[in-house]
């Protein structure tokens, strides 16, 4: 049986204020390969802290976080960075596309800081863009794209490294309803292809499309 993509056991995160603030409290979560999970909660609930921990951008205070079977809590920073780059694709509310670079060039930037061969980089970017149905926009600059197309370009960039996990932070927050539907349809397609997706959102329309939903309130996680 394959390892879960995400396994959290007794995860806690405290910030050393006076008094200390516990942002995550004894979190247990298991995400299997091919799961599509929505994490919902109001502002201040711990969503952003959990996102940072799942994305290996921050360390928990205690507990265990295994990504693809690898314990991450005790890893050195360099090893965490390499694991993050090879196993996690990020999609954010803001698309983070460079205005003076074409869509294909923006997608290729996903490999610039990793140990990827330059040979074949454009071909890999074109395959990623085909995967998100954006082949007809490869040489466009981002300002010629709709909001939904920009987000699809950002998703293609996140898919470049064949990640085990697509981690999405309010991915439709800057989109109108039409483009939101298009991006959610794409997530459905990627899930059907076997990709593991975790979406952090406060939007019911977004969370209702996921296979599972968990709610976080005051650092406590409860499956709905």
């Amino acid at each position: 049986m394959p390892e879960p993509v995400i396994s959290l056991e007794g995860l806690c995160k405290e910030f050393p204020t006076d008094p200390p603030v516990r942002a995550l409290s004894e979190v247990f979560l298991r995400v299997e390969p091919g799961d599509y999970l929505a994490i919902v909660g109001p502002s201040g609930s711990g969503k952003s802290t959990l996102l940072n921990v799942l994305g290996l951008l921050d360390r928990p205070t205690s507990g265990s976080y295994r990504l693809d079977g690898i314990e991450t809590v005790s890893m050195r920073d360099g090893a965490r960075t390499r694991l993050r780059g090879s196993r996690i694709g990020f999609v954010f509310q803001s698309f983070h596309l460079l205005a003076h670079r074409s869509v294909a060039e923006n997608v290729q930037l996903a490999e610039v800081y990793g140990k990827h061969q330059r040979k074949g980089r454009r071909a890999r970017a074109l395959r990623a863009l085909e995967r998100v149905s954006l082949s007809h926009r490869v040489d466009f600059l981002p300002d010629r794209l709709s909001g939904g197309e920009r987000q699809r370009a950002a998703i293609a960039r996140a898919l470049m490294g064949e990640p085990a996990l697509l981690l999405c932070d309010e991915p439709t927050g800057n989109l109108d309803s039409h483009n939101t539907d298009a991006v959610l349809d794409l997530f459905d397609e990627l899930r059907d292809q076997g990709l593991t997706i975790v979406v952090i959102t406060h939007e019911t329309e977004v969370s209702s499309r996921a296979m599972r939903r968990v709610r976080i309130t005051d650092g406590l996680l409860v499956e709905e």
Side-chain angles (χ1 to χ4, degrees):
M1 187 173 179
E3 293 274 1
V5 176
I6 293 172
S7 177
L8 307 181
E9 295 186 4
L11 200 79
C12 297
K13 176 64 180 179
E14 287 190 352
F15 293 101
T17 54
D18 187 19
V21 172
R22 176 167 281 200
L24 298 175
S25 184
E26 293 290 324
V27 172
F28 289 82
L29 179 66
R30 187 179 175 102
V31 179
E32 303 291 347
D35 270 358
Y36 179 5
L37 173 72
I39 300 173
V40 300
S43 296
S45 61
K47 291 200 308 293
S48 295
T49 302
L50 182 57
L51 171 78
N52 288 338
V53 170
L54 291 176
L56 300 179
L57 300 169
D58 199 3
R59 292 179 185 270
T61 307
S62 60
S64 171
Y65 172 22
R66 297 177 70 87
L67 175 65
D68 259 4
I70 301 169
E71 179 57 68
T72 66
V73 174
S74 58
M75 294 178 78
R76 294 180 180 271
D77 289 343
R80 285 166 60 86
T81 298
R82 288 190 294 273
L83 184 62
R84 180 171 65 243
S86 66
R87 306 308 292 154
I88 303 175
F90 290 93
V91 178
F92 299 102
Q93 178 173 336
S94 298
F95 316 122
H96 299 307
L97 300 175
L98 296 182
H100 61 287
R101 299 280 189 172
S102 72
V103 167
E105 289 170 334
N106 268 284
V107 173
Q108 290 177 72
L109 288 172
E111 292 191 352
V112 167
Y113 300 107
K115 294 182 178 180
H116 303 280
Q117 292 184 348
R118 290 179 61 90
K119 183 178 180 181
R121 182 175 291 167
R122 180 175 170 85
R124 291 191 292 275
L126 295 182
R127 284 198 297 271
L129 286 164
E130 183 178 5
R131 197 172 174 187
V132 301
S133 302
L134 212 58
S135 296
H136 59 303
R137 295 286 192 262
V138 295
D139 294 318
F140 282 40
L141 294 177
D143 64 2
R144 295 187 60 193
L145 304 182
S146 70
E149 288 174 332
R150 292 183 197 184
Q151 190 60 292
R152 279 192 277 157
I155 294 169
R157 183 181 57 202
L159 295 175
M160 271 287 277
E162 296 293 332
L165 171 65
L166 192 65
L167 190 56
C168 309
D169 183 19
E170 301 286 358
T172 61
N174 283 337
L175 303 179
D176 60 24
S177 58
H178 173 74
N179 283 309
T180 291
D181 286 340
V183 167
L184 295 178
D185 287 344
L186 174 58
F187 286 162
D188 288 342
E189 293 171 16
L190 294 172
R191 175 206 62 202
D192 291 342
Q193 295 169 20
L195 187 63
T196 305
I197 303 172
V198 173
V199 176
I200 293 178
T201 183
H202 68 276
E203 298 182 50
T204 302
E205 179 186 0
V206 176
S207 64
S208 65
R209 295 282 289 267
M211 298 165 63
R212 294 170 56 199
R213 187 164 80 166
V214 297
R215 180 170 295 277
I216 186 167
T217 306
D218 297 330
L220 298 169
L221 205 66
V222 178
E223 185 121 13
E224 293 192 335

